[in-house]
């Protein structure tokens, strides 16, 4: 795709898309153009039936060092408020295809928030997470106070948001921020293996699994359990449910057709 300037797109495996943040001179800082490129591209990939999982990654040393401070520094309150600055990122949370953040190095501010918008967060052992906005005289604006608190609880979220300190991969793993930690050298391979595995399962079942887990953040337990059960019932309307259960009974690998 030649209309991409701040990210790149590869298709490293069948049904898998790999987006790489690509502003090395700015430590992959997320400017408005990056936001538009990521949200437009993920919306396009989400609509493509041949894409079953999307990986978002950075370099070996930096995932993203946050929102672009130099782009924001001279904005006034009226401007950020009128443009509802950063609201565009919510489109990423609407993507139904599983998103895998493969994070090596710094994931700070908006970088940490971008990783937290993804469904799986695979961290390299050199990853460092933080919400250093307080050091700039601002606060998190892309979910750092909300998604981080839900992921790691008030104690750690307050610590990161109030002190601006970074959390290494081991602490992030212990705190529940990341799905798993892998050696930096194998991050891409591990993310690709997870993406390929997910993309091979029934696409409607995968989308439903993502939807019901996310619902846990929005509803009470009884309502959430009812929602889960109803969505579970609806999996029986798919061809893939018949195929998956037939394949198990016949001791063969399923051939999912994603419908
Ligand atoms: C713009 C950035 C940037 C950023 C780094 N750069 N982070 N530019 N926005 N977020 C630029 C630097 O200015 C520098 O440009 C170049 O990238 C290399 O950065 P260095 O600082 O020289 O690299 P290093 O010493 O290796 O330190 C890496 C770093 C540090 C630890 C990641 O750059 C850093 O602390 N960055 C800022 C992290 C941060 O505060 N993030 C939160 C942003 S606010 P030059 O031109 O000098 O080479 C945010 C808010 C979200 O995300 C929403 C609420 C508003």
């Amino acid at each position: 795709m030649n209309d991409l300037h701040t990210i790149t797109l590869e298709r490293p495996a069948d049904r898998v898309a790999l987006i790489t943040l690509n502003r090395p001179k700015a430590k992959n800082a997320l400017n408005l153009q990056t936001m538009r490129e990521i949200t437009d591209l993920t919306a396009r990939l989400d609509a493509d039936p041949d894409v079953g999982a999307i990986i978002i990654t950075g370099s070996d040393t930096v995932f993203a060092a946050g929102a672009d401070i130099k782009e924001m520094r001279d904005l006034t309150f009226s401007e950020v408020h009128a443009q509802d600055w950063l609201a565009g990122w919510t489109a990423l949370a609407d993507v139904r295809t599983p998103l895998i953040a493969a994070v090596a190095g710094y994931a700070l501010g908006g970088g940490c928030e971008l990783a937290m918008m993804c469904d799986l967060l695979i961290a390299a052992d050199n990853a460092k997470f933080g919400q250093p906005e307080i050091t700039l005289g601002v606060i998190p604006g892309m979910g750092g106070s909300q998604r981080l608190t839900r992921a790691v609880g008030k104690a750690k979220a307050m610590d990161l948001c109030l002190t601006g300190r970074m959390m290494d991969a081991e602490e992030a793993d212990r705190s529940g921020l990341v799905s798993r930690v892998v050696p930096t050298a194998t991050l891409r391979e591990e993310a690709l293996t997870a993406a390929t595995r997910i993309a091979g399962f029934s696409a409607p079942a995968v989308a439903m699994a993502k939807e019901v887990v996310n619902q846990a953040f929005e509803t009470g337990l009884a309502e959430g359990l009812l929602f889960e059960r109803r969505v579970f019932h609806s999996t029986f309307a798919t061809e893939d449910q018949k195929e998956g259960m037939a394949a198990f009974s016949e001791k063969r690998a399923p051939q999912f057709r994603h419908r």
Side-chain angles (χ1 to χ4, degrees):
M1 232 169 269
N2 49 17
D3 54 342
L4 299 175
H5 301 284
T6 67
I7 60 176
T8 63
L9 171 65
E10 292 165 71
R11 297 294 300 271
D14 192 32
R15 298 182 52 73
V16 175
L18 172 69
I19 296 173
T20 305
L21 300 164
N22 186 32
R23 296 187 72 211
K25 289 188 184 138
K27 301 277 172 191
N28 291 339
L30 307 165
N31 61 13
L32 271 184
Q33 187 175 1
T34 316
M35 179 184 82
R36 289 195 192 106
E37 289 185 4
I38 290 182
T39 52
D40 287 355
L41 178 59
T42 50
R44 276 209 298 274
L45 294 169
D46 199 28
D48 183 343
D50 293 329
V51 175
I54 301 166
I55 302 169
I56 301 179
T57 197
S59 71
D60 287 349
T61 53
V62 60
F63 177 71
D68 191 318
I69 298 165
K70 292 164 190 170
E71 185 181 58
M72 290 187 291
R73 54 176 285 181
D74 293 325
L75 295 174
T76 65
F77 165 76
S78 297
E79 287 167 335
V80 291
H81 185 260
Q83 295 165 27
D84 204 3
W85 195 257
L86 305 174
W89 281 107
T90 51
L92 191 64
D94 293 334
V95 170
R96 297 167 76 199
T97 307
L99 300 171
I100 300 172
V103 175
Y106 297 111
L108 302 177
C112 184
E113 294 167 311
L114 170 59
M116 290 191 294
M117 279 182 228
C118 296
D119 305 303
L120 255 69
L121 201 171
I122 303 183
D125 52 16
N126 74 346
K128 286 191 187 307
F129 299 89
Q131 298 291 158
E133 289 88 347
I134 200 74
T135 68
L136 301 166
V138 294
I139 66 165
M142 286 165 52
S145 66
Q146 303 302 303
R147 291 196 179 93
L148 183 65
T149 308
R150 282 166 170 77
V152 305
K154 176 180 169 181
K156 288 278 180 199
M158 280 291 189
D159 188 358
L160 294 202
C161 291
L162 295 183
T163 70
R165 80 170 174 90
M166 294 183 210
M167 192 155 76
D168 65 17
E170 198 275 319
E171 184 180 1
D173 194 22
R174 189 163 19 97
S175 308
L177 180 61
V178 306
S179 311
R180 30 180 135 144
V181 178
V182 301
T184 303
T186 62
L187 176 66
R188 190 187 150 109
E189 190 187 316
E190 296 270 3
L192 200 50
T193 302
T196 306
R197 183 171 166 82
I198 292 167
F201 293 132
S202 164
V206 164
M208 288 178 198
K210 170 169 170 165
E211 192 172 21
V212 295
V213 173
N214 279 332
Q215 196 65 19
F217 293 102
E218 307 291 344
T219 56
L221 182 60
E223 208 184 325
L225 289 170
L226 176 61
F227 181 71
E228 178 194 71
R229 200 161 62 245
R230 294 292 178 241
V231 176
F232 166 73
H233 295 160
S234 71
T235 61
F236 286 73
T238 66
E239 288 179 20
D240 286 341
Q241 175 269 330
K242 297 286 170 284
E243 168 60 11
M245 292 192 178
F248 175 82
S249 308
E250 293 158 19
K251 301 187 190 299
R252 60 175 175 80
Q255 296 291 316
F256 290 124
R257 300 175 73 187
H258 309 299
R259 57 191 190 206

